Amino acid sequence: MKSFVANVKSPVGVWSVVGSDEGVIHIHLPQDELPASKGEPPKPVADAVEQLKEYFSGSRRTFKVQLAASPATDFQHDVWGALRKIPYGQVRTYGEVANAVNRPRAHRAVGNANHANPWPIVVPCHRVVSSDGLGGYGGGDDVKRYLLDLEGVHYD
């Protein structure tokens, strides 16, 4: 399966969408920008690019992106499913996500599953915060704050 890379500019940097006809394989954070492919992107990549542009412009709140299968543990898949249920403009703590996947003591493991999420923004790991503040984010605190601010959630 040959993958295609398309880049999306945002106020916090360029996000690289990698995918094929089978779906979006990965969305790379701004510090991990990849060189864009030449030619027309496969439909799942083109859809993801358009929807991310709409998200950054403030006109999209939910995503309908075809995601490629990802090798992951059952727990990671459960966490990613729980993340997709967090509505735009809302946050959940790591503990709340752990409870949602019936693993109430697994809040640190939720953080690890978030870090392994191959589709940031589309699977909104940025909406998970710690019980006493912002929490971590692979793209850095400034990117996480920007994404939350865009959705109307403000953290100092």
Side-chain angles (χ1 to χ4, degrees), residues 136-155:
Y137 188 66
D141 290 353
D142 290 342
V143 173
K144 185 172 185 172
R145 273 192 195 88
Y146 170 79
L147 297 173
L148 292 174
D149 283 346
L150 178 67
E151 297 184 17
V153 179
H154 304 291
Y155 275 83

Side-chain angles (χ1 to χ4, degrees), residues 40-51:
E40 289 297 313
K43 183 172 177 12
V45 174
D47 290 347
V49 166
E50 184 60 30
Q51 290 180 37

Side-chain angles (χ1 to χ4, degrees), residues 94-149:
Y94 295 98
E96 288 171 328
V97 175
N99 286 334
V101 297
N102 298 314
R103 298 277 302 275
R105 296 171 43 132
H107 59 277
R108 287 196 176 137
V110 166
N112 290 335
N114 274 7
H115 186 71
N117 172 17
W119 312 285
I121 301 178
V122 172
V123 176
C125 53
H126 64 279
R127 295 181 188 152
V128 182
V129 298
S130 72
S131 59
D132 61 354
L134 186 63
Y137 188 66
D141 290 353
D142 290 342
V143 173
K144 185 172 185 172
R145 273 192 195 88
Y146 170 79
L147 297 173
L148 292 174
D149 283 346

Side-chain angles (χ1 to χ4, degrees), residues 26-133:
H26 199 101
I27 299 172
H28 289 269
L29 298 162
Q31 72 269 17
D32 299 325
E33 179 184 350
L34 300 174
S37 300
K38 295 190 185 316
E40 289 297 313
K43 183 172 177 12
V45 174
D47 290 347
V49 166
E50 184 60 30
Q51 290 180 37
L52 285 167
K53 287 178 181 177
E54 292 168 356
Y55 173 81
F56 288 121
S57 75
S59 65
R60 175 166 292 274
R61 294 177 170 227
T62 61
F63 291 90
K64 293 181 178 154
V65 173
Q66 181 180 334
L67 303 176
S70 176
T73 66
D74 289 343
F75 178 77
Q76 287 172 322
H77 283 291
D78 290 346
V79 168
W80 300 339
L83 298 180
R84 294 191 85 172
K85 294 177 183 173
I86 303 172
Y88 181 96
Q90 294 185 27
V91 295
R92 300 290 184 270
T93 65
Y94 295 98
E96 288 171 328
V97 175
N99 286 334
V101 297
N102 298 314
R103 298 277 302 275
R105 296 171 43 132
H107 59 277
R108 287 196 176 137
V110 166
N112 290 335
N114 274 7
H115 186 71
N117 172 17
W119 312 285
I121 301 178
V122 172
V123 176
C125 53
H126 64 279
R127 295 181 188 152
V128 182
V129 298
S130 72
S131 59
D132 61 354

